[in-house]
């Protein structure tokens, strides 16, 4: 059972959507199944005509808007901020006669941009797993009441309803203004509290059990970001593209100075913010062509991209591996010689095999190895595919969650093999473009197959630890990597690879391992625990 809270400013706009046909006529029999006063039937809108969605929303609109209106809150989105007022907010120069809507904007120093305040219209879809049974309206009413209490919205005296227009989900809608005080209410940690309550409900109702929130999930693009990408004909949103490029730059650099240079070379126009002592405390990047309504480039801070791409986390990452210079000779045209590129790939493959053994022996923290593996894959994807969305880039994106440590994002400590993996990622980045010509193909395939074995071993360790999300991400990455090896294999017909099974069954005649793993030779498989 999944619930995720969103905020907005237009109560009536949300109601019209929930009781309307939906974007693809997917809304069926819309109805109010729960409410703050325990009388959902009193708030179900009457019908105006014979159509399934011919509702008179007037009374419900008044119910959900009147407290907000009395509190002086807008019933629509605040007007777009003008460059003049944006500059005044940046300089803390707001006069007393400023327009009233300006109070809904603020200057965020960490992100170095003016942002809009979160709206008071609270909206949370709650969905069960596709394999779950269809719940009754009465069951959904109980679920809605429990979740609103968990979020603290019921106790605060806010008006809320639950709308059902499908078999597998409901929508919780609340106006975050208290009937008791007449003031706006700000929920605290509403999503984690609801997530915990969802897990209790799953156990009690026998629903599909989902893993708890562990702070390893990517920050998902908003609906507006997806719509903008579609309008511009882009395959991914600005957030997704920037996250991928910034992650690759971070994996291939040794310190903040190199990182900022790499971002600039990618055309991302990095800017930094500083503390009183002049030290960098944050950064932002801009994607060419990603502009606001006023035509200004939109800045994206590391915080907005991923939890491990914030400046403090990057500094922690760089500090964990001392910057050891291992120069790579270059030809007259400035490129790394083919023999040296092959050597870099071969050394990385050896390190990946050592990492498999380290996990099996339990001699080193697998979480640190997982993070180092993610850096190697990211650097390899950049060197081989550049900005193209190829197989390696797809694998890097899929493995990203498996590379993060639950509740910490970064591992607490790095052992020798994890450090070697990080150094390998930097060497791969220094090697430049990986053409895969001649003997370089064999070295590239050997590294990829070694990574298949390593990622499968990481997946097995994470599964054994109950890290369901990370294990699934790693398994998916390991299953897709052999396709890349086959596409570039110098051997006719490609290398013989076995996909990583997801059913937990052992393959015959394979060497035993503590976890699901891969034989030293490179073919992925599943092993029985010893």
């Amino acid at each position: 059972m999944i619930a995720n809270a969103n905020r907005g400013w237009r109560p009536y706009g949300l109601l019209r959507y929930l009781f309307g046909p939906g974007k693809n006529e997917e809304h069926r029999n819309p109805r109010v199944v729960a409410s703050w006063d325990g009388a959902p039937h009193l708030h179900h809108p009457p019908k105006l005509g014979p159509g399934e969605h011919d509702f008179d929303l007037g009374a419900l609109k008044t119910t959900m808007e009147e407290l907000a209106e009395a509190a002086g809150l807008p019933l629509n989105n605040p007007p777009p901020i003008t460059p003049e007022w944006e500059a005044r907010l940046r300089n803390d120069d707001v006069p007393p006669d400023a327009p009233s809507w300006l109070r809904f904007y603020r200057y965020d120093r960490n992100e170095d941009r003016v942002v809009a305040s979160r709206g008071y219209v609270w909206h949370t879809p709650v969905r069960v797993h596709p394999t779950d049974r269809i719940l009754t309206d009465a069951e959904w009413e109980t679920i809605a009441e429990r979740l609103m209490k968990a979020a603290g919205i019921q106790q605060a005296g806010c008006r809320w309803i639950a709308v059902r227009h499908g078999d597998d989900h409901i929508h919780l809608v609340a106006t975050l203004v208290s009937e008791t005080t007449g003031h706006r209410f700000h929920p605290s940690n509403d999503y984690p509290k609801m997530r915990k309550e969802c897990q209790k409900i799953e156990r009690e109702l026998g629903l599909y059990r989902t893993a708890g929130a562990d702070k390893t999930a990517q920050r998902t693009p908003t609906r507006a970001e997806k719509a903008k990408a579609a309008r511009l004909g882009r395959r991914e949103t600005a957030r997704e593209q920037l996250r991928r490029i910034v992650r690759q730059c971070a994996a291939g650099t040794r310190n903040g100075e190199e990182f900022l240079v790499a971002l600039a070379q990618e055309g991302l126009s990095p800017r930094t913010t500083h503390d009183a002592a002049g030290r960098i405390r944050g950064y932002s990047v801009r994607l060419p062509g990603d502009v606001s309504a006023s035509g200004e480039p939109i800045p994206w801070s590391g915080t907005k991209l991923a939890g491990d791409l914030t400046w403090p986390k990057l500094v922690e990452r760089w500090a964990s591996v001392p910057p050891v210079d291992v120069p790579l000779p270059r030809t007259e045209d400035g490129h790394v010689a083919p023999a040296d590129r092959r050597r870099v790939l071969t050394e990385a493959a050896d390190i990946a095999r050592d990492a498999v053994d380290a996990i099996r022996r339990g001699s080193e923290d697998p979480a640190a190895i997982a993070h180092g593996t993610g850096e190697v894959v990211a650097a390899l994807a950049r060197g081989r595919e550049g900005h193209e969305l190829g197989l390696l880039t797809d694998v890097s994106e899929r493995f990203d969650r498996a590379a993060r440590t639950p509740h910490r994002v970064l591992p607490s400590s790095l052992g020798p093999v994890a450090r070697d993996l990080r150094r390998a990622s930097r060497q791969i980045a220094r090697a430049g473009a990986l053409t895969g010509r001649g003997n370089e193909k064999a070295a590239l395939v050997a590294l990829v197959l070694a990574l298949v074995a390593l990622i499968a071993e990481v997946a097995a360790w994470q599964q054994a630890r109950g890290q369901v999300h990370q294990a699934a991400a790693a398994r998916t990455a390991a299953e897709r990597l052999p396709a890349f090896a086959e596409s570039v294999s110098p051997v006719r017909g490609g290398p013989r690879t076995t996909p990583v099974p997801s059913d937990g069954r052992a393959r015959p005649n394979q060497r035993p391992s503590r976890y699901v793993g891969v034989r030293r030779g490179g073919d992925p498989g599943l092993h029985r625990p010893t």
Side-chain angles (χ1 to χ4, degrees):
M1 179 176 292
I2 302 298
N4 190 16
N6 304 294
R7 300 282 191 87
W9 295 92
R10 302 170 57 234
Y12 185 48
L14 180 56
L15 292 175
R16 283 195 305 172
Y17 168 74
L18 295 178
F19 285 94
K23 291 187 176 181
N24 299 298
E25 303 292 332
E26 72 273 21
H27 295 177
R28 292 289 177 262
N29 187 23
R31 56 201 183 274
V32 178
V33 296
S35 62
W36 79 98
D37 55 3
H41 60 283
L42 296 180
H43 306 291
H44 183 71
K47 296 294 288 290
L48 284 174
E52 186 177 10
H53 305 101
D54 293 336
F55 290 104
D56 179 2
L57 298 175
L60 184 57
K61 173 180 179 293
T62 299
T63 297
M64 301 303 291
E65 288 184 347
E66 63 177 344
L67 291 178
E69 191 171 14
L73 297 171
L75 301 181
N76 289 290
N77 294 327
I81 192 167
T82 62
E84 175 190 356
W85 287 115
E86 182 174 355
R88 284 180 172 270
L89 281 175
R90 284 177 174 271
N91 298 323
D92 196 19
D93 180 28
V94 179
D97 60 345
S100 59
W101 53 262
L102 194 64
R103 63 192 173 103
F104 301 115
Y105 290 91
R106 62 181 178 85
Y107 173 55
D108 189 317
R109 294 186 180 277
N110 291 328
E111 298 186 16
D112 189 27
R113 66 184 182 121
V114 173
V115 298
S117 301
R118 301 182 73 189
Y120 63 88
V121 179
W122 185 92
H123 170 216
T124 296
V126 184
R127 188 179 303 272
V128 295
H129 194 268
T131 60
D132 285 330
R133 62 182 174 84
I134 297 177
L135 303 180
T136 66
D137 284 358
E139 287 175 314
W140 275 121
E141 180 179 13
T142 301
I143 291 171
E145 291 173 349
R146 291 179 59 172
L147 293 179
M148 297 309 277
K149 288 179 180 177
I153 294 175
Q154 174 71 15
Q155 299 91 311
C158 300
R159 293 180 181 177
W160 63 268
I161 59 172
V163 178
R164 183 178 188 182
H165 53 211
D167 287 338
D168 63 348
H169 71 283
I170 60 172
H171 291 260
L172 298 173
V173 181
T175 302
L176 297 181
V177 180
S178 172
E179 284 187 318
T180 306
T181 66
H183 298 304
R184 183 170 173 176
F185 170 67
H186 297 275
S188 175
N189 295 321
D190 48 344
Y191 173 70
K193 292 175 181 176
M194 288 193 300
R195 188 74 199 90
K196 187 175 181 179
E197 190 65 23
C198 280
Q199 291 181 298
K200 291 181 181 178
I201 294 171
E202 290 167 357
R203 291 193 296 269
E204 294 172 13
L205 297 185
L207 303 177
Y208 182 88
R209 300 282 291 276
T210 55
D214 55 15
K215 298 184 180 181
T216 61
Q218 289 184 345
R219 297 181 184 276
T220 56
T222 65
R223 182 183 300 173
E225 292 170 27
K226 295 177 181 178
K228 183 176 182 179
R231 288 196 308 271
L232 297 176
R234 292 177 172 172
R235 294 175 58 185
E236 55 185 348
T237 65
R239 185 194 301 265
E240 292 169 317
Q241 187 173 352
L242 285 170
R243 178 169 53 213
R244 171 169 50 82
I245 298 174
V246 171
R247 183 189 301 117
Q248 291 174 348
C249 290
T253 52
R254 301 173 300 167
N255 51 49
E257 183 180 357
E258 285 188 3
F259 175 65
L260 295 173
V261 169
L263 294 179
Q265 290 174 342
E266 294 288 350
L268 301 186
S269 304
R271 296 181 187 176
T272 56
T273 57
H274 302 78
D275 59 19
R279 293 169 300 203
I280 297 177
R281 67 176 184 182
Y283 73 97
S284 60
V285 290
R286 290 145 188 81
L287 184 68
D290 182 35
V291 297
S292 64
S294 61
E296 294 294 321
I298 298 176
W300 293 82
S301 67
T303 305
K304 291 292 185 181
L305 299 179
D308 58 343
L309 295 181
T310 65
W311 188 261
K313 291 295 185 183
L314 290 175
V315 170
E316 180 183 343
R317 181 194 304 193
W318 294 319
S320 66
V321 180
V324 178
D325 282 316
V326 182
L328 294 176
R330 295 183 180 272
T331 59
E332 292 182 357
D333 59 3
H335 296 144
V336 175
D340 290 306
R341 289 202 303 269
R342 291 196 301 273
R343 176 172 57 81
V344 167
L345 296 174
T346 300
E347 289 175 354
D350 290 339
I351 294 170
R353 297 186 190 101
D354 290 341
V356 171
D357 289 339
I359 295 177
R360 291 178 176 175
R361 293 193 308 268
S363 61
E364 195 163 325
D365 182 12
I369 291 177
H371 196 274
T373 303
E375 291 197 336
V376 171
V377 177
L380 189 62
R382 187 187 186 199
R384 174 66 180 178
E385 298 172 349
H387 289 175
E388 297 296 323
L389 298 178
L391 267 173
L392 281 178
T393 301
D394 177 66
V395 168
S396 178
E397 291 292 300
R398 292 174 184 272
F399 185 72
D400 179 56
R401 186 166 193 177
R404 299 179 185 170
T405 304
H407 306 292
R408 287 186 51 89
V409 180
L410 294 181
S412 56
S413 62
L414 270 68
V417 174
R419 290 193 180 94
D420 285 344
L421 284 168
R422 288 192 174 181
R423 291 193 183 97
S425 71
R426 294 170 185 175
Q427 288 295 88
I428 291 172
R430 288 184 176 189
L434 302 173
T435 61
R437 297 172 183 168
N439 292 334
E440 187 179 302
K441 279 186 178 181
L444 183 60
V445 170
L447 172 55
V448 168
L449 293 180
L451 288 172
V452 173
L454 175 54
I455 293 173
E457 198 74 28
V458 167
W461 177 80
Q462 290 170 334
Q463 187 69 45
R465 291 285 297 272
Q467 297 174 8
V468 180
H469 298 312
Q470 290 81 2
R475 278 197 304 270
T476 303
E479 288 167 355
R480 292 186 64 81
L481 261 180
F484 173 81
E486 292 173 1
S487 70
V488 300
S489 174
V491 181
R492 183 174 180 84
R496 297 182 62 186
T497 58
T498 306
V500 180
S502 58
D503 55 8
R505 292 176 296 180
R507 299 299 189 199
N509 302 321
Q510 286 186 331
R511 192 175 68 182
S513 169
R514 290 181 61 197
Y515 310 108
V516 181
V518 182
R519 289 188 296 175
R520 183 71 177 224
D523 292 341
L526 293 181
H527 306 295
R528 300 183 187 277
T530 57

